[in-house]
Amino acid sequence: MNERSAAPGALALIESLVNTLLDIETGADALDTAEVRGCFGIAADAVDEARELRESLRAALLAHAGHPPHREVTPLGELLSRAPLYVAVDARDGSAALAPAPDAPLLSRVAAAVAEGLVQGTWMRLKACEAPDCHWAYYDRSPAARGRWCSMQVCGARAKMRRYRAKEG
């Protein structure tokens, strides 16, 4: 959908997961395919939980951009509180990070990605497009962190055209 480069570090996982909903209006969902579920390590019987997580993430990313949730969802903090994590300490330099256990479920990997983003100061720059028919996740690299759309050429241009037409009419 957009021309932006992927979010940095582990936030790319979150961005990819949120963007598995291919079309909000039609409901086209990449999680319906075994191939995409496999990329995220989602079992066929865990798709509903993955969708719940995805939409809670989308609501948080909309909040990062200053927008209300797209619909009622389980609060992200409530979901992430169920994620088993541990503190991994690097023996070489003593650095530490929250990490999911080996073969951890998607929820734990997402929780670790959020924690990494918080530590690196990048979490709040992961946003969802303000276009109501899009809400695609993107990483805002603008200097003031005030980006509004996943794509200036698509969603941004449409929004500007709508505003222009509203002024004319």
Side-chain angles (χ1 to χ4, degrees):
M1 167 62 89
N2 69 53
E3 69 283 347
R4 296 177 185 260
S5 54
L11 290 181
L13 168 68
I14 295 171
E15 182 180 44
S16 295
L17 177 61
V18 171
N19 292 342
T20 59
L21 182 59
L22 305 173
D23 189 322
I24 284 179
E25 294 177 333
T26 66
D29 190 341
L31 292 181
D32 289 337
T33 68
E35 180 182 356
V36 172
R37 287 192 306 271
C39 291
F40 289 100
I42 301 168
D45 63 350
V47 174
D48 288 341
E49 291 86 5
R51 286 187 176 124
E52 178 183 36
L53 176 59
R54 175 184 67 196
E55 297 313 312
S56 294
L57 285 163
R58 187 182 318 282
L61 303 187
L62 283 165
H64 290 175
H67 304 292
H70 57 304
R71 63 180 176 86
E72 192 170 320
V73 298
T74 304
L76 183 59
E78 183 180 315
L79 290 177
L80 296 182
S81 71
R82 304 177 200 153
L85 298 172
Y86 72 98
V87 178
V89 179
D90 188 313
R92 294 168 294 178
D93 65 6
S95 62
L98 285 177
D103 299 323
L106 179 61
L107 182 63
S108 292
R109 290 181 284 133
V110 166
V114 170
E116 178 183 303
L118 285 169
V119 170
Q120 294 178 350
T122 56
W123 168 239
M124 295 299 288
R125 283 185 174 258
L126 190 58
K127 298 178 179 182
C129 181
E130 76 175 38
D133 58 344
C134 180
H135 294 318
W136 198 259
Y138 68 95
Y139 187 76
D140 184 359
R141 288 182 167 77
S142 66
R146 295 174 71 180
R148 300 171 61 187
W149 301 288
C150 64
S151 167
M152 194 58 220
Q153 287 72 26
V154 179
C155 292
R158 287 179 187 157
K160 289 181 177 195
M161 185 57 72
R162 279 192 292 272
R163 276 200 308 271
Y164 175 76
R165 287 182 180 150
K167 286 180 185 179
E168 282 189 337

